[in-house]
């Protein structure tokens, strides 16, 4: 079964080089695991990230005839966010503005690849 | 003048390999000007698709990281680069393997054009 502390330790490995927090969300946008700095409301950010993912996935399916959304990169004035799917969950990385999109995408891809198998086992059990 | 604008946007679209469409809309996704080649899905050039970014950019601005400026989506076959250039929205539709950095650079190349178009929108 899932070990919360071990999961949090794995998520924290992404929190270097300007990446402030890593979130794992379920399909409804609820926070499953969090690792990070600062006092920002991770639950609210996670819910919005989940909504963004779901909306673009649906619109892609309808309008691009492409139902496989791989990654969403969001740039805001104070930072960047990356969102991807892992097993039946969403992984979200939040970084400072100075982190480049390339690094953010590389890190989230590496982390999601690492978590895919163990989280898929949980999902299927 | 619209034809000159479209011609200029066509030229910029051709400067990035596998970029299939450049669309400028208002905040509701209503198309102001668009250029596209035959590889761009027609349904992706309509308000029903383009308006999603207008809603999501407002949502993203509430994540506690300041106002949202751009959202990039990577699908299996396509990527969309969508930029909040208030009061306009700028949409790029390209192949998944197109160079995202070059597409992002077009925002700066098109800055003057967007400024002129936005004056018209704000006058209305």
């Amino acid at each position: 079964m899932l070990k919360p502390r071990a999961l949090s330790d794995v998520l924290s490995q992404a929190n270097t080089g300007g990446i402030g927090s890593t979130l794992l969300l379920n399909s409804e946008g609820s926070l499953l695991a969090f690792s990070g700095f600062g006092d920002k409301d991770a639950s609210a950010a996670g819910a919005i990230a989940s909504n963004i993912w779901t909306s673009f996935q649906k619109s892609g399916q309808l309008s691009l005839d492409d139902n496989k959304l791989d990654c969403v990169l969001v740039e805001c004035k104070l930072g960047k966010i990356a969102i991807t799917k892992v097993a039946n969950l969403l992984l979200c990385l939040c970084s400072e503005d100075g982190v480049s999109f390339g690094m953010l995408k590389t890190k989230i891809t590496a982390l999601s690849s690492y978590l895919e198998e163990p989280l898929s086992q949980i999902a299927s059990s | 003048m619209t034809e000159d604008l479209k011609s200029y946007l066509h030229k910029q679209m051709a400067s990035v390999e596998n970029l299939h469409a450049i669309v400028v809309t208002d905040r509701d996704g209503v198309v102001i000007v668009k250029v596209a080649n035959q590889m761009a899905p027609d349904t992706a050039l309509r308000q029903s698709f383009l308006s999603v970014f207008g809603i999501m950019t407002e949502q993203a601005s509430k994540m506690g990281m300041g106002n949202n400026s751009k959202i990039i989506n990577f699908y299996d076959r396509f990527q969309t680069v969508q930029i909040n250039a208030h009061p306009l929205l700028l949409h790029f539709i390209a192949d998944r393997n197109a160079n995202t950095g070059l597409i992002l650079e077009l925002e700066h190349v098109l800055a003057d054009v967007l400024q002129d178009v936005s004056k018209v929108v704000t006058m209305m």
Side-chain angles (χ1 to χ4, degrees), chain A residues 34-49:
Chain A
F34 169 81
S35 175
F37 312 107
D39 58 353
K40 291 191 178 132
D41 188 354
S43 300
I48 295 171

Side-chain angles (χ1 to χ4, degrees), chain A residues 40 45 48-49 51-52 55-57 59-60 62-66 68-81 94-95 101 105, chain B residues 41-44 48-49 52-53 56 59-78 80 82 93 96 104:
Chain A
K40 291 191 178 132
I48 295 171
N51 191 28
I52 290 172
S55 298
F56 280 119
Q57 184 176 47
S59 70
L62 286 171
S63 300
L64 293 173
D65 194 23
D66 195 337
K68 192 172 177 298
L69 181 59
D70 280 338
C71 183
V72 177
L73 300 175
V74 179
E75 180 173 333
C76 297
K77 192 172 178 186
L78 302 176
K80 295 184 174 82
I81 301 130
C94 303
S95 76
F101 272 135
K105 189 163 183 278
Chain B
D42 279 337
T43 40
S48 54
F49 176 74
V52 175
F53 174 59
M56 290 303 117
Q59 292 258 315
S61 298
K62 296 173 186 172
M63 290 183 80
M65 299 180 87
N67 286 335
N68 173 246
S69 59
K70 46 184 78 98
I71 296 179
I72 305 168
N73 295 311
F74 293 96
Y75 296 90
D76 192 34
R77 291 178 289 128
F78 294 100
T80 62
Q82 294 172 294
I93 298 168
R96 169 65 189 258
L104 289 169

Side-chain angles (χ1 to χ4, degrees), chain A residues 25-123:
Chain A
L25 313 160
N26 69 6
S27 52
E28 281 127 26
S30 300
L31 198 59
L32 282 183
F34 169 81
S35 175
F37 312 107
D39 58 353
K40 291 191 178 132
D41 188 354
S43 300
I48 295 171
S50 172
N51 191 28
I52 290 172
W53 177 272
T54 306
S55 298
F56 280 119
Q57 184 176 47
K58 280 185 187 161
S59 70
Q61 190 171 357
L62 286 171
S63 300
L64 293 173
D65 194 23
D66 195 337
N67 63 352
K68 192 172 177 298
L69 181 59
D70 280 338
C71 183
V72 177
L73 300 175
V74 179
E75 180 173 333
C76 297
K77 192 172 178 186
L78 302 176
K80 295 184 174 82
I81 301 130
I83 312 166
T84 194
K85 199 160 185 83
V86 53
N88 62 338
L89 306 173
L90 286 181
L91 180 65
C92 186
L93 264 62
C94 303
S95 76
E96 296 166 0
D97 187 48
V99 176
S100 61
F101 272 135
M103 179 57 75
L104 199 56
K105 189 163 183 278
T106 301
K107 278 195 169 183
I108 201 171
T109 304
L111 193 54
S112 68
S113 299
Y114 183 75
L115 290 171
E116 180 68 35
E117 197 199 325
L119 291 179
S120 296
Q121 286 180 10
I122 302 285

